[in-house]
Amino acid sequence: MGQTHVLSGAVVWLAAVPVLSREEWLGSYAVSLSPQQVIAGAVVAAGAGLLPDIDHPSGRIANTLGPVTRTLCRWVGRASGGHRHATHSLLFAVAMGAVMGLLATHFQYGWWAALYILVGFGLRGLGLDFEGHPFWSGLKDCAAAGVAIYLMHGLDMSFAGYAVALGCLAHLLGDCLTPRGCLLLWPVNWRMETVLVPRTDGRVERLVVVPLLTCAAVVLTARVLIGDHPISWLS
């Protein structure tokens, strides 16, 4: 479900921040983030948690902007070999992280446009819609994404590539726990799966996975808001 992918993207990012902050582990690739940047990264990672499904012509992304996104997803699906092929690989996650990182550091307007789309994806994935009113639901998501972008406009988002890559990775890991798995090493035709969630949108996902991810997101966010610095989590 979209909710699972969005929540898992945010959780994986929040859990990874302490590691990303360790210079002794990552050297010059380490990042030092303020609480505001960590929360902004969680929003980005949540949206990126849906990115791999850009190959799905009837998924949450496809229904974001009506025929525009449905056509886009159909084209991407055909070009990538179908659902859960090229876009569900480690190569795709790394590529998306590199592209978004490049936009964030060198192409400001392109980055803000990409960020707006990512936040919109995240909101769509959460599924907090007005039942039976798709227009007002879309308008609400667009307005909320605009507010989020405004709140982030003063932050240094040069770390965003990490958030996007981790959001995509969370999606891949989640799909590997369901039937069919993912071609993580695409173009190698080796589908990886360890089925712990027997059915998408089934009882296990709704009653176990989503509540656990929600609790994890709340706890990790609270740690960010009340802590002096995310690196202290590992101290």
Side-chain angles (χ1 to χ4, degrees), residues 201-214:
D201 197 15
R203 291 175 61 85
V204 173
E205 187 171 5
R206 286 188 173 277
L207 301 180
V208 179
V209 177
V210 171
L212 285 177
L213 287 173
T214 301

Side-chain angles (χ1 to χ4, degrees), residues 28 57 70 74 81 91 124 149 165 179 184 200 229 232:
S28 61
R70 278 196 294 272
R74 190 176 300 113
L91 180 61
R124 288 294 296 163
I149 298 303
L184 289 184
T200 301
H229 194 285
S232 63

Side-chain angles (χ1 to χ4, degrees), residues 1-87:
M1 294 191 302
Q3 283 182 329
T4 301
H5 288 315
V6 168
L7 289 169
S8 66
V11 168
V12 168
W13 162 257
L14 291 169
V17 164
V19 176
L20 297 175
S21 303
R22 292 251 163 174
E23 290 187 10
E24 63 269 33
W25 293 352
L26 298 181
S28 61
Y29 293 101
V31 291
S32 180
L33 305 176
S34 68
Q36 292 81 4
Q37 288 174 308
V38 175
I39 298 302
V43 173
V44 172
L50 280 181
L51 262 182
D53 274 348
I54 199 170
D55 65 354
H56 196 324
S58 59
R60 296 294 293 186
I61 288 181
N63 293 315
T64 300
L65 297 175
V68 175
T69 44
R70 278 196 294 272
T71 301
L72 172 63
C73 291
R74 190 176 300 113
W75 286 349
V76 172
R78 290 173 181 171
S80 64
H83 183 47
R84 293 201 186 188
H85 283 76
T87 66

Side-chain angles (χ1 to χ4, degrees), residues 79-231:
S80 64
H83 183 47
R84 293 201 186 188
H85 283 76
T87 66
H88 285 66
S89 67
L90 296 176
L91 180 61
F92 178 81
V94 171
M96 287 299 98
V99 169
M100 294 302 180
L102 185 64
L103 288 176
T105 53
H106 294 92
F107 301 96
Q108 182 179 10
Y109 293 109
W111 162 247
W112 291 120
L115 182 59
Y116 184 84
I117 293 171
L118 281 178
V119 175
F121 285 169
L123 291 168
R124 288 294 296 163
L126 286 176
L128 303 177
D129 300 333
F130 300 118
E131 189 68 30
H133 298 282
F135 173 79
W136 293 110
S137 296
L139 187 62
K140 177 263 296 177
D141 289 340
C142 288
V147 171
I149 298 303
Y150 174 77
L151 293 175
M152 291 184 207
H153 79 279
L155 294 175
D156 175 6
M157 298 293 290
S158 58
F159 64 90
Y162 287 118
V164 172
L166 287 169
C168 290
L169 180 61
H171 183 116
L172 305 185
L173 295 175
D175 277 359
C176 282
L177 301 180
T178 65
R180 289 188 61 210
C182 294
L183 297 174
L184 289 184
L185 301 180
W186 182 92
V188 177
N189 190 24
W190 180 19
R191 192 169 293 276
M192 301 182 185
E193 63 176 277
T194 301
V195 180
L196 297 180
V197 181
R199 178 173 174 270
T200 301
D201 197 15
R203 291 175 61 85
V204 173
E205 187 171 5
R206 286 188 173 277
L207 301 180
V208 179
V209 177
V210 171
L212 285 177
L213 287 173
T214 301
C215 290
V218 171
V219 170
L220 290 171
T221 300
R223 294 293 296 271
V224 173
L225 296 177
I226 66 177
D228 294 329
H229 194 285
I231 201 170

